[in-house]
Amino acid sequence: MPKVPYHLDLPEAITSRVVFASPHSGRDYPWSFLRTTVLDDQSIRTSEDAFVDRLFDCAPQFGAPLLRANAPRAFLDLNRAADELDPALIEGVRRGGHNPRVASGLGVVPRVVSNGRAIYRGKLPMAEAERRIAHFWHPYHDQLRALLAQAHAQFGESVLIDCHSMPHEAVDAVARNCARRPEIVIGDRFGASAAPAIVSRIEAAFVAAGLSVVRNMPFAGAYVTQAYGRPSRRQHAVQIEIDRSIYMDEVEIRPNANFQAFRRLLRGVVADIASIGHEGKALPLAAE
């Protein structure tokens, strides 16, 4: 199993109400897990938000924490509720009401990776699912809740930026109705997880960097935005999806020639988002 459930990168002093988190970029694949999967080492990584943690790793330089999962998404999905157990995969789970994520094999312990490819030959014991949830899901979410509570106590407001990536073809249907193909999808559950002013501020940061942005289509946010977004309490949660083809080779799962340039571009976006709430105040310049 991965040695630790997450990495937490903290600034020298927290000066931002924004918390950045990357729940799907974990790449610590346990040997015991790799022995049980029918997929090869490359295929098992296709549902991973590869390198997203590196794209946002400058956040602490602008006074904001960055929480990074270690466990890979194919092993355990931190953007699902702990009780989203798949009866087609986990022994002893009773079939309940229809949950489209679970039905498609994308519960908290996924049954498939991208394109519906099965991860396992058969079922997993309930004890294995419970072990993964206890050792990885709960510590990650306990830490995330603590960071958001600290931001809310310090600033009277918290803003969670849940960082993800999407396959290039994910926006094909949306792109047909856009003047320019979307590169960023912002999800706020159609206004339920964050105040309009916060979402507009985040969108403006990406647009100012020259990136094409759409909202909520095809990704509006999943468990994390639903669980942590309470705009009436000044607790905002926004999901960010970035087109993987901008910065990586999706087939080889490696950074492409544009990776460093895009990372530098996002540095300005991260700095802008981290400054939410500081409008009109002079902020110290972060060192390169």
Side-chain angles (χ1 to χ4, degrees), residues 157-178:
E157 183 175 55
S158 62
V159 180
L160 170 60
I161 305 297
D162 205 44
C163 307
H164 296 263
S165 66
M166 58 185 176
H168 180 69
E169 67 272 13
V171 294
D172 281 352
V174 178
R176 288 195 289 269
N177 299 317
C178 297

Side-chain angles (χ1 to χ4, degrees), residues 209-241:
L211 295 164
S212 175
V213 182
V214 294
R215 296 191 192 182
N216 294 310
M217 295 296 289
F219 304 109
Y223 170 76
V224 167
T225 47
Q226 183 177 8
Y228 295 100
R230 297 289 185 272
S232 64
R233 303 177 190 172
R234 296 176 63 83
Q235 300 167 354
H236 313 280
V238 177
Q239 178 177 283
I240 303 298
E241 297 273 0

Side-chain angles (χ1 to χ4, degrees), residues 53-75:
D53 53 341
R54 290 175 59 187
L55 293 177
F56 288 90
D57 64 5
C58 63
Q61 298 177 39
F62 303 105
L66 171 63
L67 181 64
R68 302 179 285 128
N70 275 350
R73 184 185 185 185
F75 179 77

Side-chain angles (χ1 to χ4, degrees), residues 99 140 157 173 180 183 211 213 215 217 219-221 223 246 256 262 268 274 277 279-280:
N99 179 317
Y140 178 90
E157 183 175 55
R180 179 181 167 195
E183 297 162 308
L211 295 164
V213 182
R215 296 191 192 182
M217 295 296 289
F219 304 109
Y223 170 76
I246 298 173
N256 64 20
F262 185 66
E279 286 76 6

Side-chain angles (χ1 to χ4, degrees), residues 17-248:
R17 67 198 63 201
V18 180
V19 174
F20 292 85
S22 179
H24 286 165
S25 58
R27 48 190 173 270
D28 190 355
Y29 287 83
W31 172 242
S32 59
F33 170 59
L34 294 176
R35 283 188 306 170
T36 65
T37 179
V38 298
L39 299 174
D40 59 44
D41 291 353
Q42 194 80 351
S43 298
I44 197 68
R45 297 189 63 193
T46 54
S47 59
E48 179 187 311
D49 284 342
F51 317 117
V52 164
D53 53 341
R54 290 175 59 187
L55 293 177
F56 288 90
D57 64 5
C58 63
Q61 298 177 39
F62 303 105
L66 171 63
L67 181 64
R68 302 179 285 128
N70 275 350
R73 184 185 185 185
F75 179 77
L76 185 74
D77 194 335
L78 296 166
N79 197 19
R80 299 290 183 265
D83 61 358
E84 288 188 86
L85 294 168
D86 186 350
L89 176 65
I90 310 300
E91 293 175 350
V93 176
R94 295 181 179 178
R95 295 187 180 275
H98 180 69
N99 179 317
R101 294 193 292 253
V102 172
S104 64
L106 297 173
V108 64
V109 179
R111 174 166 39 94
V112 301
V113 293
S114 61
N115 298 320
R117 288 171 292 180
I119 297 173
Y120 309 95
R121 286 190 177 86
K123 287 193 170 188
L124 296 179
M126 174 66 84
E128 173 61 18
E130 292 174 339
R131 184 172 66 103
R132 295 182 191 184
I133 292 166
H135 288 146
F136 299 100
W137 195 97
H138 284 294
Y140 178 90
H141 283 280
D142 287 348
Q143 182 62 77
L144 183 55
R145 277 191 294 270
L147 290 169
L148 293 171
Q150 179 181 354
H152 198 273
Q154 184 174 350
F155 301 101
E157 183 175 55
S158 62
V159 180
L160 170 60
I161 305 297
D162 205 44
C163 307
H164 296 263
S165 66
M166 58 185 176
H168 180 69
E169 67 272 13
V171 294
D172 281 352
V174 178
R176 288 195 289 269
N177 299 317
C178 297
R180 179 181 167 195
R181 185 182 183 86
E183 297 162 308
I184 307 292
V185 178
I186 293 177
D188 66 351
R189 298 188 65 82
F190 297 94
S193 70
I198 295 291
V199 182
S200 294
R201 180 77 167 72
I202 292 166
E203 180 176 1
F206 285 101
V207 171
L211 295 164
S212 175
V213 182
V214 294
R215 296 191 192 182
N216 294 310
M217 295 296 289
F219 304 109
Y223 170 76
V224 167
T225 47
Q226 183 177 8
Y228 295 100
R230 297 289 185 272
S232 64
R233 303 177 190 172
R234 296 176 63 83
Q235 300 167 354
H236 313 280
V238 177
Q239 178 177 283
I240 303 298
E241 297 273 0
I242 303 174
D243 182 348
R244 294 173 185 165
S245 69
I246 298 173
Y247 63 89
M248 66 176 274

